[in-house]
């Protein structure tokens, strides 16, 4: 049973998240031969207050 975790900054719509899960699932099925029903996709939103680049938070 393949497990995939996608971490991304918060702010995507529900429709975008559904499409992402669908397409990631398709990619895993295509590349591994796993059955679609066995693919698990986790989407983790990263709060922009907790994400920094170059020593600065993205919201600052």
């Amino acid at each position: 049973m393949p497990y995939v975790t996608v971490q991304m900054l918060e702010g995507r719509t529900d429709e975008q998240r559904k499409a992402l899960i669908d397409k990631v699932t398709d990619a895993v099925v295509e590349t591994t031969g796993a059955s679609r029903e066995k693919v698990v996709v986790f989407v983790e939103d990263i709060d922009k207050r907790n994400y920094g680049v170059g020593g600065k938070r993205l919201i600052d």
Side-chain angles (χ1 to χ4, degrees):
M1 180 177 299
Y3 290 86
V4 178
T5 302
V6 178
Q7 295 179 321
M8 61 184 180
L9 292 175
E10 63 189 350
R12 302 317 193 286
T13 66
D14 194 44
E15 292 77 24
Q16 289 171 317
R17 296 162 72 80
K18 286 179 184 180
L20 176 65
I21 290 169
D22 184 53
K23 292 191 182 293
V24 168
T25 299
D26 286 344
V28 172
V29 169
E30 180 182 326
T31 58
T32 68
S35 105
R36 185 173 183 82
E37 294 75 27
K38 299 289 184 181
V39 177
V40 178
V41 179
F42 298 98
V43 178
E44 296 179 358
D45 284 338
I46 299 173
D47 186 320
K48 292 178 184 177
R49 295 172 297 177
N50 298 326
Y51 189 89
V53 176
K56 294 189 178 194
R57 294 186 313 166
L58 290 182
I59 63 168
D60 293 336

